[in-house]
Amino acid sequence: MMTLKSLERKLQKADAKQAKLYLFCNFVSLLLITAYSAMMFSPTVLLVLPEGGDSRKQMIAIFVLALFGCVVFTIYASGLFFRKKAKQLGTLMALGASGRKLLPGLLGEVFALSAISSLLGIVAGFPFVWILWNSFKLITDSNQMALTLDFKCLYLSAVFFVIVVGFSCLNAYRYLKRTNIMEVMHEEHRNEPVREMGRWCGPVGIGLVLGGAVLGYMGPVVCHRVLNYYAPAWLNILYAPVFVGLYMIMLHTVVNGWRSRKKHPYKNLIARSMMKFQGKQTVNNLLVSTVLIAGSAFGIFYLPMMSVDRIMEIKSRPYDYYYHYRADQEIPGEEEISALAAQYGLAIADFRQVPYLSLGMDGISEVEDGNSFHYERMPLKSEGRFLSQDSYERITGEKISVQKGDYMAISNTDETGLYYLEDTATVLTNMVTFQSLPTNFGGYAHYDFLMDSLGYYVLNNEDYETIAAGLSKEWMGQTAVFNIDGQDSYEFSQDFFYTLVSSFGPECEQPSYYDRVKKYYDNQMGEVYWGDTTRMTKISYSEPNTSDFRMYWKYMPKSRILDKTEFNRTFAVFLMMFLFIAIICSLAAVIIEYTRCMTIVLNNRYVFEDLKRLGASPGFIRKEIKGQAGPVFKIPALVGMTAMYLLYALLMFGNDGKITTNEIGGLAVCLLVLLGIGGVYYLVYRYAVKNMCRQIFE
C-alpha cells in the first residue's frame, strides 16, 4: 500500500532534474560569493590595495554588483524550483492531503536542499580561490603573492546563506497557502508577460544609460568644484537612471526586438512570442546578466589599461636609468656605477648629473569645514624640487627660457597628472635661512621622463643662486641619468637597485608623498602632521621588492629593463585581484544565461513537442531554439560591454580632460579583450544550444 511519504518520494524522484538545477544554482552562487569575499578580506590583497584608494573602491563596487546578481539569481532559481514543485503539491492535494500535512515534509526537503547546496558552495569557495590564485602564480610570483585568508569573509557568506535558505522556506510556505488546486497544478505553465511599450522604449533606455553615467560621474565633480562640498555617499543615487535605462533596453528587446518587422511581420513569430509570454523572467535574467558582464568588463579593463600605459611609458624613456638623492647621502656616483657595470661586462654612457634644491612653496589649499571646505593660501603648503635653467637644459638637451621672478613646472607632453604640481605659488622659501623669493607661475615645461609624484620645477639661473644661499645638504639633492652602452643586463639592473637602496640612510625611508615642508608648518601650528600617523603607507628597506616600496618610495629609481621585467611581480596582487573579479562576474553571468536556456526547454517543452507533431522539421525547431537562446547571450554581452567601455572612456577623459596616447592604446587593447571574451560567450552559447536541442530531440 502506498503511503503519503512514499508518494512524495516518488514525485520528488520524477522531478529530480529540476531539483538538481536548483541545487546547482545555490551551490554556484555561494561558491562565487564566498570566493569573492575571501579575496576581498584577504590580508594579502588588503596589504597591497591602499585603504581609501580607487582600486579598493572599485573592488567593493563590483562586489556589490556581483552580490546583487547572485541574490537575484538564487531568488529566480527558487521560483523556478517551486513552479515545478507546485505540480507535486497539487497532485498530493488532489489526493486529499492538506497543506498542514504537507508542510513539515516540504519544509524539511527545501531546508535540506538549500542548506546542503549552500554549505557545499561555501566550502568549495576556498579551494576555488586557491586554484585560481596558484594558477596565476605559475605566470608570475613574488613575496607578496603568498595567499593568506581571513575567515571573517564567512560573515558575508553566512548572511547570503540565511537569505537563500530563508527565502526558500518562505517560498515553500507561500505555495502551500494556495487553495485553488488547479491553479497550483498548472503553475509551471503560467505565463508572465510584461506590459508592452512602444518602440520608443529602447532609444529612451539607451539615453538613460548614457545620461545616468554622465550624471553619476559629474555629480560629485560639480559638488566639489562648484559647491565646495565633499560629495556624500548617497549621491551615487544619481547613477539610478542607468539601471532604469538597462531595464528599458531589456524590455524593448523582449517585447519589440531591434529589427523592423514591417516587411516580414511573421518572421521568428514563435520564438518572439515565447520570449514575450515569459517576459518577466527573461527581462530579469537579461538585466542581471548585463550588470554582471559590465562588472566583469570593468574588472578586466584594469589589466590592459595599467599594462599598456606602463609598457608605453617605459619604451618612450630617453635614458635607461634615472635616480635622485639628497645631497647628505653617500650614493654611488659615475665611477662606482661604471665599476659595478664592468662586473657584468657592461659600460655606461651619457652619464649626466645635476643638482636641485628642495624649497618650500606657498599655495592655495582646501581647508575642511565638516563636509564642506573653503580655500586658503598656506604660507608653506608643500615641498618642491627646483632645477636651474642650465641644469634642466643639460639633463634634457632641450632649450628653455625662464624669466626672472618666474618658475615653471615640468609636466609630460599631454599635461596630464598635474595634480602633483603646484601652479599657485607666489613665494618660494629657503627652509634653512627662511629667505623668501617672490615668484609667479610661468607655465609648463614638457619632459615626460622627469614627471613623477614629487614633481620638478625650473628656476631662472639667477633666482636659483639667490634662493640656494645658505641651504644645507639636507635640503639639496642630485638627479642623475645614464644609458647602457649596448645591451643591458637584468642582473646588473637588480644589483644597481639593491646597491642604491642600501646606500640610503634611515632618514630617507619615506613614501613619496611625505612632505617635509607641510610637516614643519603643521608642527609650527601645534598640529600633528598626518604623515607621522598610521594613515600613511609605511615602507621598509628590508622589503624592497614589495609593491608598496616599488610604487611609493620617495627615491625610487627608474630602470628600463628592471621595470619592464618585474612589472608583473610588482603589480601581481593588483593584476590578480582584478582578473579574479572578472572571472567571478563572467562565471556568474554565463551560468545564469546557461541556466535560463535550460529553463526555456523545461518550461516550453510542450510547445516544442506540439511543433514536432505539427510536422516542424528539426532544422526549424533548432532555428527557434537559437531564436530563444541568442538574445539571452547576445543582448547582455553587447549592452554590458558597450556601456562599460564607454563609461571607462568617460572616466579616462574625466581624469584630466583628455584621452592621452597611452590611454588610446589601452582602450584599443581593451576592445581586443572584449572581443576575446565575446568569443568565450559565443562558445558557451553554442554549448547551450546543443544541450537544448538534445533535451528536445531525445
Side-chain angles (χ1 to χ4, degrees), residues 61-273:
I62 300 175
F63 176 75
V64 172
L65 291 179
L67 185 63
F68 166 76
C70 287
V71 167
V72 175
F73 179 44
T74 51
I75 291 174
Y76 168 70
S78 176
L80 287 176
F81 174 70
F82 280 104
R83 290 191 70 181
K84 286 291 181 180
K85 196 72 178 172
K87 189 174 183 179
Q88 295 180 25
L89 298 175
T91 301
L92 294 171
M93 286 179 178
L95 293 173
S98 65
R100 183 173 297 179
K101 281 187 177 181
L102 295 175
L103 183 60
L106 179 62
L107 286 178
E109 179 192 358
V110 170
F111 181 82
L113 288 175
S114 303
I116 292 172
S117 60
S118 299
L119 287 174
L120 288 175
I122 292 173
V123 172
F126 295 102
F128 182 69
V129 170
W130 186 89
I131 290 170
L132 282 181
W133 188 270
N134 285 278
S135 298
F136 189 78
K137 285 180 69 175
L138 296 176
I139 303 173
T140 181
D141 199 0
S142 69
N143 294 333
Q144 290 184 294
M145 287 287 286
L147 180 63
T148 55
L149 298 175
D150 186 342
F151 290 96
K152 289 180 182 178
C153 65
L154 289 174
Y155 291 141
L156 286 176
S157 299
V159 171
F160 197 75
F161 173 84
V162 171
I163 292 174
V164 170
V165 176
F167 190 86
S168 299
C169 292
L170 184 65
N171 238 354
Y173 180 76
R174 183 173 69 89
Y175 271 86
L176 275 179
K177 290 290 288 182
R178 297 188 176 186
T179 56
N180 189 327
I181 294 175
M182 295 306 296
E183 181 184 346
V184 171
M185 292 189 69
H186 291 284
E187 171 70 19
E188 65 173 313
H189 296 307
R190 185 167 60 88
N191 291 317
E192 295 180 324
V194 290
R195 186 169 65 89
E196 293 197 27
M197 304 179 73
R199 299 196 68 85
W200 54 267
C201 181
V204 170
I206 294 173
L208 284 173
V209 169
L210 297 176
V214 173
L215 188 65
Y217 179 80
M218 292 302 298
V221 175
V222 172
C223 200
H224 186 273
R225 296 182 182 178
V226 178
L227 303 178
N228 291 353
Y229 193 84
Y230 296 116
W234 60 261
L235 200 64
N236 288 320
I237 199 173
L238 293 176
Y239 281 107
V242 172
F243 297 97
V244 176
L246 283 176
Y247 182 83
M248 294 178 70
I249 291 172
M250 301 308 145
L251 190 62
H252 180 80
T253 301
V254 171
V255 175
N256 301 312
W258 293 93
R259 294 180 180 178
S260 175
R261 295 193 294 271
K262 291 182 179 180
K263 292 185 178 179
H264 306 285
Y266 302 106
K267 188 177 182 180
N268 298 326
L269 179 62
I270 296 174
R272 287 190 285 109
S273 299

Side-chain angles (χ1 to χ4, degrees), residues 36 55 58-63 65 291-307 573-586 640-641 644-645 647-648 651 670 673-674 677:
Y36 200 140
S55 53
Q58 291 169 9
M59 176 182 70
I60 295 172
I62 300 175
F63 176 75
L65 291 179
V291 170
L292 288 170
I293 289 174
S296 172
F298 193 86
I300 202 69
F301 284 172
Y302 190 90
L303 280 68
M305 292 302 297
M306 187 178 188
S307 302
V573 176
F574 285 91
L575 299 175
M576 176 59 203
M577 186 63 215
F578 284 93
L579 177 61
F580 186 87
I581 288 171
I583 291 173
I584 291 290
C585 291
S586 291
M641 290 179 179
M644 191 50 63
Y645 190 81
L647 178 60
Y648 218 85
L651 292 174
C670 285
V673 170
L674 289 184
I677 296 174

